Amino acid sequence: MTASDGDAVQLTPLQTDGASADHTRTAAFFDLDKTILAKSSTLAFSKPFFDQGLLNRRAVLKSSYAQFLFLMSGADHEQMDRMRSYVTAMCTGWDVEQVKSIVGETLHGIVDPLVFAEAADLIADHKLCGRDVVVVSASGEEIVAPIARALGATHAMATRMVVEDGRYTGEVAFYCYGEGKAQAIRELAHREGYPLEHCYAYSDSITDLPMLECVGHPTVVNPDRSLRREAVSRQWPVLTFSRPVSLRDRIPAPSGAAVATTAAVGISALAAGALTYSLLRRFAL
């Protein structure tokens, strides 16, 4: 998979692949926030980031309000671009290993109660059908990969920031968003041999329209208004997920014999997909 500026693809193992080589493998691609999780995955970590000194109190209050706005209205392309600039500036200079440690230590306590039961069931159904499960998110790999691993996913694809001397520089190496998501999916499908016309994709946001268009079986989940209109006009299925449950109660922890590689087009704790333009508009820095 090709990142911007010619960066080489980095692979992060999630599980070992149990698929048989004698049949065609297919995949189900899932957006993360408001599709699998009831909240923004990145904003959910505001408190532990604050506790460890990465965020100040004002930033936590902003994140809490942004979470509310995110849940109520989502974000369009302009909002996401403004959000990316804000978030990358905020995490510039953060120590990468500290971020990974915080996420690892607090993951289950924060994420477990946020998983939609309907999403957990759907993931389990796809796995029973022999499909790979791929989590594709604009959030950073340090957050996305552990969540994907806990879900038993085959791959995780996320945003990657530039790191120098163990710290984020504030530059984005690959933004796993919009057409970037679709391109990452196409390249992963080419590498893994997925025929995309037989694959599935799920998302809540109009910004993921390219991702939905590149598979044969797109489905919208808790769609924003723009995506709902597209789904109706294209006669795509529309699902409503509304019952967050404990991840531990619904999906067993993946074993070492369970799945595959991650196309790690992503590293950064807060590198995208989290804050909305409404946050920036109402809380000037």
Side-chain angles (χ1 to χ4, degrees):
M1 190 164 300
T2 303
S4 63
D5 300 326
D7 291 343
V9 175
Q10 299 175 358
L11 298 180
T12 303
L14 289 184
Q15 306 176 31
T16 56
D17 189 1
S20 171
D22 61 1
H23 71 275
T24 301
R25 294 166 57 208
T26 58
F29 299 92
F30 286 82
D31 176 48
L32 184 58
D33 299 342
K34 295 176 70 175
T35 302
I36 294 176
L37 301 184
K39 294 184 179 181
S40 160
S41 55
T42 300
L43 292 178
F45 286 90
S46 295
K47 186 179 186 301
F49 286 151
F50 169 75
D51 291 341
Q52 295 296 318
L54 294 179
L55 294 177
N56 58 31
R57 189 175 299 278
R58 184 167 179 262
V60 172
L61 291 174
K62 286 185 180 183
S63 295
S64 297
Y65 187 59
Q67 184 74 266
F68 170 76
L69 295 172
F70 177 79
L71 293 174
M72 294 299 101
S73 61
D76 59 21
H77 291 287
E78 181 182 359
Q79 292 168 343
M80 290 290 285
D81 285 342
R82 290 174 181 264
M83 170 280 306
R84 177 179 63 168
S85 297
Y86 172 82
V87 173
T88 53
M90 182 173 61
C91 68
T92 298
W94 284 10
D95 182 273
V96 177
E97 291 306 316
Q98 182 183 10
V99 171
K100 291 181 179 179
S101 177
I102 293 171
V103 173
E105 291 172 359
T106 61
L107 177 69
H108 286 290
I110 290 175
V111 174
D112 275 7
L114 303 181
V115 177
F116 284 122
E118 299 91 341
D121 290 341
L122 189 56
I123 288 170
D125 288 345
H126 278 297
K127 293 179 70 175
L128 284 173
C129 291
R131 299 185 188 100
D132 288 354
V133 171
V134 184
V135 176
V136 190
S137 176
S139 292
E141 202 270 342
E142 284 87 351
I143 287 177
V144 177
I147 293 174
R149 188 176 295 112
L151 290 164
T154 314
H155 305 273
M157 298 189 288
T159 294
R160 176 162 56 89
M161 282 184 66
V162 176
V163 176
E164 291 182 2
D165 298 324
R167 296 183 180 274
Y168 301 119
T169 67
E171 298 177 356
V172 177
F174 181 87
Y175 193 21
C176 192
Y177 163 78
E179 180 56 37
K181 277 191 180 183
Q183 182 61 25
I185 287 172
R186 287 190 290 267
E187 292 179 359
L188 178 65
H190 176 74
R191 192 178 75 239
E192 297 293 326
Y194 304 141
L196 285 176
E197 67 272 19
H198 298 304
C199 291
Y200 296 73
Y202 302 87
S203 180
D204 68 287
S205 175
I206 189 63
T207 63
D208 281 339
L209 189 60
M211 165 182 166
L212 295 166
E213 289 176 328
C214 74
V215 301
H217 302 282
T219 297
V220 303
V221 177
N222 299 339
D224 57 32
R225 291 180 181 179
S226 297
L227 184 57
R228 183 178 292 276
R229 285 195 296 268
E230 286 288 339
V232 170
S233 68
R234 298 173 187 237
Q235 298 184 320
W236 288 349
V238 178
L239 300 179
T240 299
F241 293 172
S242 60
R243 297 183 293 117
V245 295
S246 171
L247 177 61
R248 293 178 181 179
D249 292 342
R250 302 306 297 265
I251 301 178
S255 68
V259 192
T261 60
T262 272
V265 284
I267 291 181
S268 102
L270 293 177
L275 301 178
T276 66
Y277 169 63
S278 298
L279 167 70
L280 305 177
R281 184 181 61 201
R282 302 184 190 198
F283 289 94
L285 291 177

